[in-house]
Amino acid sequence: VQLQASGGGLVQAGGSLRLSCAASGSIFSINAMGWYRQAPGKQRELVAAITSGGTTNYADSVKGRFTISRDNAKNTVYLQMNSLKPEDTAVYYCNADITRWGGGYESDYWGQGTQVTVSS
């Protein structure tokens, strides 16, 4: 099982980016999926999460600007980021709670990270 993230880049303040993260491999089911970020010198923090049923949760700092969604048929989670600010600059990591075929238990998987840089 692996998660492949894409969509990062350089954008001016006020701009938008859309991140995608696709899970692949021997997947039986996916529970929660989410996005975390880590800025230089800071701890990794939760940005947004979404359950298999579509319930979402956001960090206060991104509420009203970011939207998380998922396509269960494609095992993909998205993060639409609008009104970006310089303080959103970080490496963004996707995360998913996945049960593998024959695994019998849920495990936590991480994508490789994608850089988002917002210039002022």
Side-chain angles (χ1 to χ4, degrees), residues 13-80:
S16 298
L17 283 174
R18 189 188 192 215
L19 305 183
S20 300
C21 177
S24 62
S26 183
I27 297 170
F28 174 73
S29 65
I30 302 178
N31 194 356
M33 304 183 82
W35 290 94
Y36 290 71
R37 66 187 180 188
Q38 187 167 18
K42 295 187 176 182
Q43 289 189 329
R44 190 174 297 189
E45 63 174 358
L46 174 67
V47 176
I50 184 168
T51 68
S52 57
T55 300
T56 58
N57 180 43
Y58 295 93
D60 288 343
S61 59
V62 306
K63 283 181 180 177
R65 300 187 298 122
F66 291 11
T67 302
I68 189 170
S69 62
R70 64 191 282 174
D71 184 332
N72 291 330
K74 296 181 179 180
N75 291 336
T76 299
V77 63
Y78 306 95
L79 185 68
Q80 177 66 44

Side-chain angles (χ1 to χ4, degrees), residues 103-118:
Y105 55 89
E106 190 174 275
S107 296
D108 197 32
Y109 291 86
W110 291 89
Q112 83 282 12
T114 184
Q115 177 70 47
V116 171
T117 303
V118 185

